[in-house]
Amino acid sequence: MDVNSFDIFCLVPADLSHPGIAVAATRAGAIGVLDLEHASDAQRVEDNFDRLLAGTRGRIGLRLTPQSLGTGRRLIERAGERELVVMLVDADRDRFESLSAGAHSL
């Protein structure tokens, strides 16, 4: 990896009407990330993740909180062999460290 290179992340609320911004960002070379932090419509989140998977072969990811881990786990399973960037966020440092230690088992 070139030390002068960097990645651009495009975070998009996961329950918008369509994940088009994440798809477009991914096609432009960024990492399109669905942010589940404030998502309230689980079905729309799953539909948008399916659209993101189908809309691009670029790099994609999920931003998860402790409250969204159940949905996140289902989405990760849906991705199959597709590589994903998974961001775990939490204001509670101890809980974050615990989640990070177990992230490889998701």
Side-chain angles (χ1 to χ4, degrees):
M1 180 173 149
D2 182 1
V3 295
N4 295 317
S5 69
F6 59 92
D7 290 316
I8 296 173
F9 294 89
C10 176
L11 275 64
V12 175
D15 59 356
L16 286 181
S17 60
H18 192 279
I21 296 170
V23 171
T26 301
R27 290 179 179 169
I31 301 172
V33 178
L34 291 184
D35 184 356
L36 279 72
E37 183 173 9
H38 300 289
S40 59
D41 185 339
Q43 185 59 53
R44 183 172 282 176
V45 169
E46 291 181 16
D47 292 345
N48 280 339
F49 188 67
D50 289 342
R51 288 183 184 123
L52 184 58
L53 286 170
T56 181
R57 295 215 181 273
R59 296 180 300 164
I60 61 173
L62 299 168
R63 183 174 181 268
L64 306 174
T65 64
Q67 296 77 21
S68 65
L69 286 177
T71 301
R73 184 179 305 270
R74 287 192 305 276
L75 297 177
I76 291 167
E77 289 172 1
R78 285 174 108 129
E81 296 297 316
R82 179 85 181 257
E83 185 175 318
L84 296 174
V85 172
V86 177
M87 301 174 182
L88 298 173
V89 295
D90 191 357
D92 181 335
R93 181 179 173 87
D94 292 334
R95 187 166 53 172
F96 177 80
E97 289 174 357
S98 173
L99 290 170
S100 295
H104 67 279
S105 66
L106 286 175

